[in-house]
Structure formats: structure tokens, C-alpha cells
Amino acid sequence: MKIGVLAVQGAFAEHIAALRQLGAAAVPVRLPGDLTGLDGLVIPGGESTSISRLMATYNLARPVKDLAGNGFPVFGTCAGMILLAKKSSDSDVTPLGVMDIAVRRNAFGRQKDSFETELTIPVLGEKPFPAVFIRAPVIGQVYNGVEVLARLDDGTSVAVRQGRLLASAFHPELTADLRFHKYFLDLVAESR
Ligand code: GLN
């Protein structure tokens, strides 16, 4: 299985390492030609404003949007989730607009802009998942067929799936727990 990790900015190296630990051939994606022959794509966390600008500069926005809109598996984490959304609270970012979610950037404000918590994520099994939030967005609304996979204690949605699109507000690549990446690879395997 060959998985691309968008590598224009942000935490791409950690995703590549996690995917390789699970036996996938993970490769960085910097130019449109790097998308050829992939079975799935990860859009990492980082700064969504920079990633969206760089995707436009390197002509990656259109082909990634087309792939994601046509059933190709894509996993967006944190800034990557913002980029997948149909709506973002903030006009500084131009999201690709492929997932029926509305997100709020930097939703936890300054004092709490980074924290770690254990989340119950039923699709990953009973054991709680260590979720690292770094200046994270939240999912304000979900529409048409979007499944909420995880919520904070106050009910806020922080991980979702729509068909083969997967998104989390937190960073599964920054912990040793590989279950979220494994869940994505299972979606990819189903789609082949
Ligand atoms: N705050 C960043 C943004 O809005 C996201 C942070 C992250 O990806 N860790 O783009």
C-alpha cells in the first residue's frame, strides 16, 4: 500500500514514520506528479494558512480536491482537517471544501491552546486514545452523512469520517498509539 503525505509544511515526517511502522510505503508529496500511483493521502497538521497557500503555489490544490471528491482516501489531521472542510471560520484559509463539516480554527484560545486528553473512540476499540491538541480547531457542525468518531467530554466533535475521508482535530502521529493510522489504512485497503 502506497500512502502519500503532503510535505509542504507541518508534521509530515511523523506521519511518514507512523505509516511505515504499520508496513505502508509512505512517501512525501511536494509536487502534483508525486500523487501518481498513491492509494491514499495524509494532510498533516501545521499552519493551515501556509499549507493552503503552498498547495496553490505548487498546483496541488486542484488535483488533491479532485481526488478527495472522487472517493480517494484522505486523512487530514488538525490543519489538515481545516483544509478538508467545506467551511472554515476564518477567511485567511481557503479550504479544499470536500468534507461536509464546518470548522473553527484555534478554538481553544490561548490558555488552553495545547493539551492532551484520553478520548473514547469506539471505532478504535475500548482502550482510550491519547489525543494531543495543539492550537487545535474543532468541528462546529457536520452535515450529510458525516459520522462523528470522537467527542470531548463537553460534546464537541473532534474526529469525523465521511466515506473515505477521515479527519481529526488532534495529532495521532505524535503518540505511539498507531490505531488511528491503522484505521485509515483499513479504509484504504477497502477502497482498493
Ligand atoms: N492552528 C493551526 C491552524 O489553524 C492548526 C494547528 C495544528 O495543525 N497543530 O492552521
Side-chain angles (χ1 to χ4, degrees):
M1 214 154 21
K2 190 173 171 191
I3 309 292
V5 180
L6 189 74
V8 294
Q9 194 264 335
F12 51 88
E14 292 82 352
H15 276 292
I16 290 175
L19 292 162
R20 286 184 180 161
Q21 275 189 62
L22 289 166
V27 293
V29 170
R30 296 193 172 93
L31 293 168
D34 299 333
L35 294 165
T36 308
L38 298 180
D39 299 303
L41 179 73
V42 173
I43 305 181
E47 205 48 57
S48 54
T49 46
S50 310
I51 297 177
S52 75
R53 258 184 249 129
L54 291 165
M55 285 182 86
T57 306
Y58 292 104
N59 296 316
L60 284 161
R62 171 52 59 183
V64 170
K65 184 181 164 92
D66 289 347
L67 283 170
N70 284 307
F72 184 80
V74 183
F75 178 18
T77 59
C78 202
M81 179 179 89
I82 297 170
L83 288 162
L84 290 177
K86 284 245 160 97
K87 285 190 204 157
S88 155
S89 59
D90 181 335
S91 57
D92 286 350
V93 189
T94 313
L96 298 170
V98 289
M99 245 185 142
D100 287 304
I101 55 175
V103 298
R104 281 202 314 277
R105 290 184 68 208
N106 301 321
F108 296 97
R110 281 222 177 134
Q111 324 72 318
K112 260 186 102 186
D113 46 21
S114 301
F115 62 99
E116 187 170 341
T117 187
E118 302 262 295
L119 291 179
T120 303
I121 307 182
V123 295
L124 302 185
E126 274 179 23
K127 198 175 130 212
F129 190 86
V132 179
F133 289 81
I134 302 171
R135 293 182 305 106
V138 296
I139 300 151
Q141 263 179 299
V142 304
Y143 318 94
N144 318 316
V146 172
E147 186 189 348
V148 176
L149 303 180
R151 294 179 193 275
L152 295 175
D153 288 343
D154 68 1
T156 306
S157 305
V158 289
V160 282
R161 172 182 171 180
Q162 184 175 28
R164 294 188 186 115
L165 303 178
L166 188 62
S168 68
F170 50 89
H171 287 264
E173 79 286 7
L174 297 183
T175 65
D177 193 324
L178 297 174
R179 284 178 294 161
F180 219 105
H181 287 85
K182 172 76 170 64
Y183 181 72
F184 178 61
L185 291 181
D186 289 345
L187 283 185
V188 174
E190 268 170 36
S191 77
R192 287 174 95 203

